[in-house]
Amino acid sequence: LSYWQHKNGRHFQHEYKAFNECPVIGGRWCENLEQALWMTVAHEVAHHVQYTKGPICRWLKKHYQRAHGRGFQAVYGILRSAVVNPLLPSLEGSVEGEQVL
């Protein structure tokens, strides 16, 4: 995973513009490389579920086709809220003046 955002140390990891400002699946501050990797892994797993299970899953069937559309965002939201976000710095814990989206 040699992705341009994968850095060690404190940095803001952006998401796609369409949902970057969402408090659940949007961009977040990461303290280290592991946190950045968790965000990316969850993003890619959401795509896998979206495309492989979307056509046969009752709640994804109508919305799985668009790469970052409603189906993807639903799956990604579950992964981020339940697994990844609890591992990231809190939204309230940012340094004053920093962008928290």
Side-chain angles (χ1 to χ4, degrees):
L1 291 170
S2 58
Y3 185 49
W4 67 274
Q5 293 190 95
H6 291 162
K7 303 172 187 168
N8 204 12
R10 186 168 168 77
H11 66 283
F12 190 83
Q13 176 133 336
H14 295 271
E15 265 298 349
Y16 282 83
K17 188 175 182 178
F19 53 91
N20 191 53
E21 295 185 21
C22 175
V24 176
I25 62 172
R28 289 284 296 268
W29 284 98
C30 295
E31 299 291 339
N32 53 50
L33 177 61
E34 290 79 12
Q35 292 173 353
L37 290 172
W38 275 116
M39 284 182 67
T40 300
V41 168
H43 183 113
E44 298 308 326
V45 167
H47 279 306
H48 174 74
V49 171
Q50 166 193 10
Y51 290 126
T52 61
K53 304 303 178 193
I56 59 172
C57 183
R58 178 184 50 80
W59 60 276
L60 284 176
K61 194 176 285 193
K62 293 181 182 177
H63 306 288
Y64 78 93
Q65 296 91 346
R66 284 191 52 224
H68 294 107
R70 287 176 55 190
F72 165 81
Q73 290 181 29
V75 175
Y76 191 36
I78 293 166
L79 294 171
R80 284 283 302 272
S81 65
V83 180
V84 178
N85 290 354
L87 303 172
L88 301 176
S90 70
L91 290 172
E92 297 80 27
S94 64
V95 176
E96 188 177 333
E98 289 180 328
Q99 176 187 20
V100 179
L101 302 175

